[in-house]
Amino acid sequence: MSKIGIVGSGMGSLGFAIRSAVAGHQVSVFEANSYPGGKLAQIETNGFRFDAGPSLFTMPHLVDELFTLAGKNPRDYFSYERLPEICRYFWEDGTRLQTNAAPAETAAAIASELGESEENVARFLREIGENYHIISELFLDNSLHSLSTWTGRKALKGYLNIPRLGLFNTMHRSHAKRFTNPKTVQLFDRYATYNGSDPYQTPATLSIIPHLEYNIGAFFPKGGIISIPRALHRLAEELGVDFHFNEKVSRITTENHTATGLETEKGNYTFDYIACNADIRPSYTKLLEQEPQPKKLLNQPKSSSGIIFYWGMDRSFDELGVHNIFFSDDYQGEFKAIFEDQTINDDPTIYLHISSKVEKSDAPAGSENWFILMNVPANEGQDWDALVTKMRKNVIEKLSRNLGVDIEKHIVAEDYLDPRRIEARTSSAGGALYGNASNNRFAAFLRHPNYRKAIKNLYWVGGSVHPGGGIPLCLSSAKIAAKLFAENA
Ligand code: FAD
């Protein structure tokens, strides 16, 4: 049995802590905040409850797996339902589209509302599923830095399929070639934002992302997203993991480039192994100042961040679903503003999520809790106060225009996050939601690995390391790190 210390208690940490405790190790987690879950936090105001971070839950089996690994029934800890409807789309010219859980229904809706060939859409949804399986076996379930990943039958299958994976094309060009209506292209381009990237730059390989929603499903956990880290925290505690909340780590101690322990505001601790769930940039510059810095990995462009408005509305809107998108008329300009000009286009795409459509207790009777997210650049010192004020006005105008109602009159509770606040609350560099962006075809290889020989006995989990950000990939990072740990330790 080894003693393992973990920095942070985000999804990557919770996954790694549970896997390590199940393997019989003694695990301690140090978290700067007073709660587990990192970006999976919640905001409560004036009778409304909001999940502050993620709103879309995909691949729930990766959470369930942690309970079954520990010999427990996941349903004794948390439950979820598959949403019958995936998303409602709104365009400024009045076009509306609803996508549903059944891929055939989505293909039929895109055919009837956007004029695409139904068979072409259905084939696309099938193909991205096939591509997903090839890519996940190679890139998402394994370390990119282990020889075994690049040898064997699965690797050979991957090599043979490289031409169809779209590494040498951008996502936008590939969709534009495939579909006739620019709105369909925009619809599928949108998925680049699921890892904070730009569809006009990111490789077409990432076209697999909608497979998660359309072929596996969009899920909603009972009690909201916050119930996921709470359930994992409960399981981890039952397995003997020792949590130290409100205890920020100030240094990962090393000797001869080997991690030996943690220094916190409250004391010094010795461990056999360390896992770091904090963002790689502050981890190297603040916690590992004494070690050589992997400059190339740290200097990659960051993923997008977000401005999020949390509005309690005093009425309900039947035309809205759980997930809604109000598209910008200038999609390319929106991404140019974020990734080239480091600012926000005046007409950004708006994502509107209403958890109270499913979880009635999230809002008073007859009311709704609106979570409104715009993709914005990571914090590089922009005037966020001015940008938040401008965006609030633009969002109210756009939603009022599309819904035919002066929505400002109905806002009765209000809060917001911007990149500065996200950074302050979770220590992610610039408030980037997904670590580095994947805006070039080598991005996967320029993501920090889950283990580097340069600092021994130190493992890395979470959204800023391989395989990437988002709840499922953070859980995968924990799985890969635990596998490497079992092989090395
Ligand atoms: P994080 O959540 O980044 O947590 C890291 C933890 O480490 C924090 O609790 C922090 O306090 C702690 N920490 C850092 N430094 C120290 C230190 N020195 N000492 C002690 N503790 C420290 N993903 C989805 O799958 N679906 C979505 O719909 C989605 N939407 C999102 C919307 C928003 C607004 C945001 C913010 C994120 C969204 N994401 C979404 C992304 C997802 O939340 C993240 O990728 C994921 O939660 C990151 O997990 P992590 O393991 O990297 O840890």
Side-chain angles (χ1 to χ4, degrees), residues 40-118:
L40 280 65
Q42 73 171 5
I43 291 173
E44 287 175 294
T45 170
N46 222 9
F48 293 88
R49 192 202 72 85
F50 301 88
D51 282 307
S55 53
L56 176 69
F57 182 36
T58 53
M59 308 194 68
H61 64 274
L62 292 174
V63 180
D64 284 351
E65 186 177 271
L66 295 168
F67 294 93
T68 42
L69 202 66
K72 308 278 187 180
N73 179 356
R75 296 296 77 77
D76 291 339
Y77 292 78
F78 92 120
S79 59
Y80 50 82
E81 61 179 287
R82 184 171 180 181
L83 295 172
E85 174 186 318
I86 292 181
C87 191
R88 296 188 192 182
Y89 291 94
F90 298 77
W91 282 271
E92 289 280 355
D93 66 0
T95 306
R96 304 280 183 266
L97 172 76
Q98 180 178 318
T99 56
N100 288 332
E105 282 181 30
T106 292
I110 293 176
S112 73
E113 304 306 321
L114 305 182
E116 297 292 343
S117 142
E118 188 172 334

Side-chain angles (χ1 to χ4, degrees), residues 309-315 317 370 372 388-401 403-414:
F309 295 117
Y310 307 90
W311 290 343
M313 307 297 286
D314 71 0
R315 56 159 283 191
F317 291 77
W370 283 19
I372 296 164
V388 167
T389 305
K390 185 169 93 166
M391 291 328 298
R392 185 181 185 282
K393 180 171 169 288
N394 290 0
V395 169
I396 286 172
E397 282 174 10
K398 186 174 175 86
L399 293 182
S400 298
R401 200 165 56 238
L403 296 171
V405 177
D406 177 3
I407 63 158
E408 189 166 21
K409 285 201 312 218
H410 297 284
I411 304 172
V412 291
E414 191 160 1

Side-chain angles (χ1 to χ4, degrees), residues 331-397:
Y331 214 38
Q332 191 155 10
E334 179 174 347
F335 288 98
K336 180 179 175 297
I338 297 174
F339 290 102
E340 287 178 33
D341 307 335
Q342 306 293 321
T343 187
I344 315 168
N345 184 307
D346 279 347
D347 176 27
T349 296
I350 296 170
Y351 165 64
L352 168 53
H353 166 62
I354 309 173
S355 71
S356 63
K357 294 268 186 203
V358 187
E359 194 62 65
K360 298 292 174 208
S361 61
D362 282 354
S367 308
E368 286 180 348
N369 64 341
W370 283 19
F371 164 112
I372 296 164
L373 177 132
M374 274 89 41
N375 296 305
V376 308
N379 181 25
E380 304 289 351
Q382 297 91 329
D383 182 350
W384 290 108
D385 289 337
L387 287 170
V388 167
T389 305
K390 185 169 93 166
M391 291 328 298
R392 185 181 185 282
K393 180 171 169 288
N394 290 0
V395 169
I396 286 172
E397 282 174 10

